[in-house]
């Protein structure tokens, strides 16, 4: 049974940093993985993603501030978030699936992922 469990959210002032984690279990092979966020009243959007071969892509507004990484030994996906802004506030979800993306942008499409974590709240105050 595939499972994703996030942790590490919290509240921080603008300019601060947070790292959120997602432990994966039950996957037979390394899946494509991504971080998504959803603010109240907004659609869920892809923030950062890593395909099974290690290709990485970011939402334009977080590029240079966020870093996605995978610790294979710990089966844990991380999102390091630096220089956080109030507009980064939302519930952050990790997701996994087997997408066969034809371009990097596909990895940021939430409807292509089959497995989701429960979400962790990130709040950035000004």
């Amino acid at each position: 049974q595939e499972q994703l469990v996030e942790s590490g959210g919290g509240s921080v002032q603008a300019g601060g940093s947070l790292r959120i984690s997602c432990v994966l279990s039950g996957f037979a092979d390394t899946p494509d993985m991504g971080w998504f966020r959803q603010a109240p009243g907004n659609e869920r959007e892809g923030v950062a993603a890593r395909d099974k071969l290690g290709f990485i892509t970011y939402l334009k507004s977080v590029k240079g501030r966020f870093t996605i990484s995978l610790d294979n030994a710990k089966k844990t996906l991380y999102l390091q978030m630096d220089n956080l802004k109030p507009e980064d506030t939302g519930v952050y979800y990790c997701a996994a699936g087997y997408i066969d993306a034809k371009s990097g942008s596909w990895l940021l499409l939430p409807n292509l992922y089959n497995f989701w974590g429960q979400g962790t709240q990130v709040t950035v105050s000004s």
Side-chain angles (χ1 to χ4, degrees), residues 43-109:
E43 292 187 353
R44 192 169 298 188
E45 65 176 352
V47 173
R50 180 193 186 280
D51 80 0
K52 61 183 73 64
L53 299 178
F55 173 82
I56 288 174
T57 189
Y58 295 97
L59 180 69
K60 188 176 179 182
S61 63
V62 308
K63 202 168 185 179
R65 300 189 297 119
F66 289 13
T67 304
I68 187 172
S69 62
L70 174 67
D71 185 327
N72 259 316
K74 295 182 179 179
K75 298 189 186 299
T76 300
L77 184 72
Y78 299 100
L79 185 68
Q80 175 68 41
M81 303 181 287
D82 298 317
N83 190 21
L84 281 158
K85 303 177 180 182
E87 52 264 40
D88 295 318
T89 294
V91 178
Y92 282 68
Y93 300 89
C94 69
Y98 299 96
I99 295 173
D100 191 23
K102 298 297 187 276
S103 74
S105 61
W106 285 32
L107 295 171
L108 296 178
L109 299 176

